[in-house]
Amino acid sequence: MPAVDPHTPTQTARHIESTERHSAHNYAPLPVVVSRASGAWVEDVDGHRYLDMLSAYSALNFGHGHPEIVDTFVEQAKRLSLTSRAFHNDQFAPFCETITRFCGMDRVLPMNTGAEAVETAIKTARKWGYKVKGVADGKAEIIVCDGNFHGRTVTIVSFSDDDQYRDGFGPFTPGFKLVPYGDLAAFEAAITPNTVGFLVEPIQGEGGIVVPPEGYLKGCRDLCTKHRVLFMADEIQTGLGRTGRKFACDHEGVKPDVLILGKALGGGMMPVSAVLASDEVMGVFRPGDHGSTFGGNPLACAVASKALEILERDRLPERAARFGERFMDKLRGLTGGYVREVRGRGLLIGIALTPEAGPAKAWCKQLLHEGMLCKDTVESVMRIAPPLVIEEMDLDWAFERIARTLRGKRP
Ligand SMILES: *Cc1c(COP(=O)(O)O)cnc(C)c1O
């Protein structure tokens, strides 16, 4: 694998220079310019190949260009792509049936991006609080966790505890309370008669692949039931097989009141997100209360239905559990040295580095030169999240590179 040096006059360098010149600098990508991909492998504009161990933050659970998803996409695009919800379309009902059965929920409200689905869940919980629970107008509170990541809209960054996400973007939306993640007593203490919802990631993804203590989710579920608070699981990153079960909440047998999905729901092909809930909760919406021009479009419905079908038929959650366990065992063999801890579930894995290792981003850059794509989350954690369709020999290949790199010199 030839090293990629953005300073030589390659196609890569030209693309990066132009990007720097013409785009907003709201990202700092690793220096690789991908131009084609298939399965777990991508190729850059200069013809180098890389193993994708990030999967677009779990949006590519099915890998790149899954043939059946591509066929569904192309055929549906030719037939009908968009009607808006002003009219019915023939892909909508089958999608709603498929996803509600898959999730064991009564009703679905489709949107496009993850952040929109989280916004939808917040609106749902507030309206349920006022119309059903009987909270006084304007008083609804939602409890969220330290280290959360739920998206980037103004309301969502209003309850982030990451200073950079908030800096310069106020004034913020009130009505949110932060509690430490994994602390049941703190959660119960924060509940008041005005609490309408508890919004939580069953494993914090952007927060550094943080798995809460065993029993936490179950305990929160019980407290929500006891105090009549909606348990709202943000499974945008953890859902749809990633952690070795359909949903990360399944590991503790927890059923949320409000389930938020995105990322992999679009089959790696397009943005598709959804909020699912019971009749009682979703019943608060009346025509005109909420919506989205592209939400529930036939192309999205066809692709998402196909994605769910493949997930179940090909037992991708089981595959993630089996491969993830083996891969994590091997990675744990690297602890000591620069590796402090290996944590995660299924194929959502964090390699937490020691302070001596320096920033995780430098190690990810090093792995890029080895032909592997991965990404830091918080400063000191490398996130490993390959497509669930990855071959085991490719995981072995990746392990060799990771082991060699982390046993080598600090970058
Ligand atoms: C990615 C992510 C989001 C936001 O999704 P977007 O599609 O980027 O808006 C929300 N919550 C979690 C847990 C995520 O990982």
Side-chain angles (χ1 to χ4, degrees), residues 184 187 198 212-225 231 249 251-255:
L184 260 185
F187 171 52
F198 173 52
E214 211 181 310
Y216 175 66
L217 297 172
K218 178 76 175 59
C220 290
R221 168 70 274 183
D222 292 345
L223 287 171
C224 282
T225 305
F231 186 106
C249 283
H251 290 285
E252 293 199 8
V254 162
K255 188 177 170 193

Side-chain angles (χ1 to χ4, degrees), residues 112-411:
N112 310 285
T113 66
E116 281 178 311
V118 171
E119 289 271 348
T120 300
I122 291 167
K123 288 173 84 173
T124 306
R126 285 182 168 182
K127 204 163 187 85
W128 173 86
Y130 299 128
K131 305 290 173 190
V132 180
K133 186 171 175 174
V135 172
D137 198 32
K139 298 285 184 211
E141 293 168 1
I142 292 174
I143 299 175
V144 296
C145 294
D146 292 346
N148 72 71
F149 180 85
H150 297 286
R152 305 288 203 146
T153 63
V154 168
T155 287
I156 294 171
V157 299
S158 294
F159 55 82
S160 173
D161 63 348
D162 185 317
D163 290 337
Q164 194 196 349
Y165 290 173
R166 292 162 55 90
D167 182 36
F169 298 128
F172 298 109
T173 308
F176 299 94
K177 251 192 205 172
L178 276 163
V179 296
Y181 187 62
D183 184 339
L184 260 185
F187 171 52
E188 184 161 33
I191 297 173
T192 74
N194 291 331
T195 307
V196 297
F198 173 52
L199 175 62
V200 66
E201 300 156 86
I203 295 174
Q204 287 188 333
E206 302 313 299
I209 320 294
V210 183
V211 183
E214 211 181 310
Y216 175 66
L217 297 172
K218 178 76 175 59
C220 290
R221 168 70 274 183
D222 292 345
L223 287 171
C224 282
T225 305
K226 181 175 157 196
H227 296 281
R228 228 177 153 213
V229 169
L230 298 180
F231 186 106
M232 303 195 282
D234 180 347
E235 294 246 22
I236 290 169
Q237 186 160 161
T238 53
L240 304 181
R242 171 57 55 190
T243 70
R245 304 288 294 266
K246 267 185 183 175
F247 305 110
C249 283
D250 294 346
H251 290 285
E252 293 199 8
V254 162
K255 188 177 170 193
D257 299 301
V258 177
L259 175 62
I260 310 167
L261 299 178
K263 293 204 164 110
L265 188 57
M269 205 64 58
M270 58 190 307
V272 186
S273 66
V275 177
L276 293 113
S278 64
D279 284 325
E280 177 195 289
V281 173
M282 213 49 113
V284 298
F285 284 113
R286 295 283 165 266
D289 282 350
H290 185 54
S292 156
T293 303
F294 278 83
N297 72 76
L299 191 51
C301 288
V303 164
S305 300
K306 180 55 77 176
L308 295 175
E309 180 195 320
I310 294 169
L311 192 84
E312 234 168 10
R313 185 198 65 202
D314 295 351
R315 300 179 181 279
L316 294 183
E318 288 87 338
R319 191 183 170 93
R322 197 167 66 242
F323 286 6
E325 201 161 310
R326 285 184 210 153
F327 197 61
M328 243 187 296
D329 273 348
K330 287 168 79 174
L331 288 174
R332 287 204 172 100
L334 300 175
T335 41
Y338 286 127
V339 178
R340 185 167 62 77
E341 186 193 15
V342 175
R343 60 196 185 214
R345 258 193 177 133
L347 284 172
L348 182 60
I349 300 170
I351 303 177
L353 303 175
T354 61
E356 296 74 49
K361 183 159 186 184
W363 292 96
C364 294
K365 222 164 166 176
Q366 189 85 356
L367 280 165
L368 177 67
H369 296 312
E370 293 276 344
M372 191 186 122
L373 303 184
C374 68
K375 184 82 172 73
D376 47 304
T377 60
V378 288
E379 167 97 7
S380 62
V381 180
M382 295 163 60
R383 175 202 339 234
I384 305 286
L388 309 186
V389 296
I390 195 169
E391 299 295 342
E392 198 160 26
M393 55 180 278
D394 288 337
L395 282 176
D396 293 342
W397 185 94
F399 178 75
E400 277 173 37
R401 265 82 195 160
I402 295 170
R404 188 162 72 208
T405 301
L406 285 170
R407 285 187 185 125
K409 225 168 76 237
R410 176 182 159 172

Side-chain angles (χ1 to χ4, degrees), residues 96-105 246 276 308 312:
C96 295
E97 272 180 41
T98 302
I99 194 168
T100 51
R101 185 193 47 76
F102 183 92
C103 300
M105 290 285 194
K246 267 185 183 175
L276 293 113
L308 295 175
E312 234 168 10

